[in-house]
Amino acid sequence: MKIGFIGTGKITSSIIYGIFKSKLKISKIYISPRNKSTANKLSKKFKTVKIAKNNQEIIDNSSLIFLALTPTVGLKILNSLKFTSNKKIISFIATISLANLKRLTKNKNIVRAIPLPPIEIKKGPIVICPPNKVAKSFFSHLGSVIEVKSEKVCNKFWSTSALMAPFYELLKVSTDWLIRKGVDQSKATNYITELFLGLSQDAVNKKSTGLKKLVVESQTPKGLNEQALKELQRGKFYSKLNKTLNNIHTRLKKAK
């Protein structure tokens, strides 16, 4: 299979690294020349990766095409490119609807997907909308596939994908606090990252019992976790989190 990425940013790089850690059989990967630093790094590391002269060359030489563009760039360039009906397209663009993508590309063989950077290590969820055999077959090698039929539901998942940066900021703030208290930087970083890795894996292992139960079980009366949870609740930390998710969801619902 020959595939191509229009847009060579973080998510494209993460997927390509994931591909070479998987059992996917890809004979050629065409990437955009726009981000020279990332493109050059990928082409030097992987012989299968080729930097195309332009986006049309990517389309012409690939059977599966990934749109990894910002919404602004996507709206600007997609209608100037020629996608033949036999091309399969997977879009990562958050705020361009499926109907508009079909109009811009003049191609009905298109789905939307939400891959996240941990796909580089073949971890994390990948939401696909609508269900699609080709997309599922591809992404099943790179993470946990969740297929949804409705774009309304897809946008709800997309809203929670915005928690990546806040999550990493939580790790950074916690690590910086330890460092300010005199803990060695490498030990502080190792502790916090391993702490949240362990908590996340425990949540995955026990997800069938419900996350609410984990919240209860992680506390003891008048214990440290109970104090931390109550103080954050009084500070409206979780209420603000809900408000932020609602605001992002509202933005996504306005997608054209």
Side-chain angles (χ1 to χ4, degrees):
M1 182 193 294
K2 294 180 180 180
I3 66 174
F5 291 85
I6 299 179
T8 314
K10 173 61 179 175
I11 196 62
T12 293
S13 178
S14 295
I15 292 172
I16 290 174
Y17 273 88
I19 287 171
F20 287 100
K21 293 172 185 174
S22 75
K23 295 181 180 180
L24 280 166
K25 294 181 180 180
I26 309 295
S27 59
K28 206 73 176 177
I29 300 175
Y30 294 89
I31 59 175
S32 301
R34 182 166 178 166
N35 189 328
K36 291 183 180 179
S37 177
T38 301
N40 287 334
K41 183 178 179 181
L42 289 168
S43 65
K44 287 179 181 179
K45 186 171 182 62
F46 305 112
K47 293 181 180 179
T48 305
V49 175
K50 179 184 178 182
I51 302 174
K53 293 179 181 178
N54 52 54
N55 291 323
Q56 192 59 55
E57 183 183 352
I58 295 172
I59 296 167
D60 294 343
N61 288 282
S62 306
S63 58
L64 180 59
I65 302 147
F66 299 93
L67 306 181
L69 303 160
T70 64
T72 302
V73 175
L75 290 170
K76 184 179 179 181
I77 72 166
L78 286 177
N79 61 358
S80 65
L81 297 171
K82 295 180 180 179
F83 296 86
T84 54
S85 59
N86 64 319
K87 302 294 182 179
K88 298 176 180 64
I89 306 170
I90 300 176
S91 172
F92 305 149
I93 307 172
T95 55
I96 301 183
S97 68
L98 197 59
N100 205 15
L101 286 166
K102 289 178 179 179
R103 181 184 64 80
L104 289 167
T105 61
K106 298 179 179 64
N107 189 309
K108 294 182 179 180
N109 197 5
I110 185 167
V111 298
R112 300 176 74 193
I114 315 173
L116 303 172
I119 201 169
E120 180 175 330
I121 55 172
K122 302 192 297 176
K123 293 288 185 180
I126 302 114
V127 175
I128 299 169
C129 177
N132 180 276
K133 289 183 180 179
V134 173
K136 184 178 182 181
S137 175
F138 178 86
F139 285 119
S140 63
H141 290 273
L142 302 173
S144 177
V145 173
I146 299 172
E147 292 186 298
V148 296
K149 296 179 180 180
S150 165
E151 263 192 296
K152 289 183 179 180
V153 176
C154 184
N155 284 337
K156 292 172 185 177
F157 281 110
W158 228 309
S159 300
T160 54
S161 76
L163 294 177
M164 275 195 305
F167 171 76
Y168 289 128
E169 180 67 10
L170 178 61
L171 269 62
K172 179 182 177 297
V173 169
S174 303
T175 302
D176 289 347
W177 184 89
L178 283 175
I179 294 168
R180 287 198 305 274
K181 294 299 180 181
V183 177
D184 175 77
Q185 182 176 352
S186 63
K187 290 181 179 179
T189 303
N190 185 54
Y191 178 80
I192 294 299
T193 52
E194 288 289 339
L195 169 63
F196 281 89
L197 174 63
L199 292 173
S200 296
Q201 187 59 62
D202 189 48
V204 169
N205 293 344
K206 297 175 181 177
K207 60 188 174 184
S208 62
T209 63
L211 297 177
K212 184 177 180 179
K213 187 175 181 180
L214 286 179
V215 175
V216 174
E217 290 181 344
S218 64
Q219 303 172 69
T220 54
K222 297 182 180 180
L224 303 180
N225 277 276
E226 183 186 70
Q227 177 185 342
L229 180 62
K230 286 183 175 180
E231 288 192 17
L232 288 171
Q233 287 173 334
R234 283 197 296 269
K236 299 187 183 299
F237 178 87
Y238 301 103
S239 296
K240 290 176 181 177
L241 176 60
N242 267 295
K243 183 178 180 180
T244 297
L245 288 171
N246 284 332
N247 291 339
I248 292 169
H249 186 226
T250 298
R251 177 184 172 186
L252 287 165
K253 286 193 293 184
K254 293 178 182 178
K256 296 180 179 180

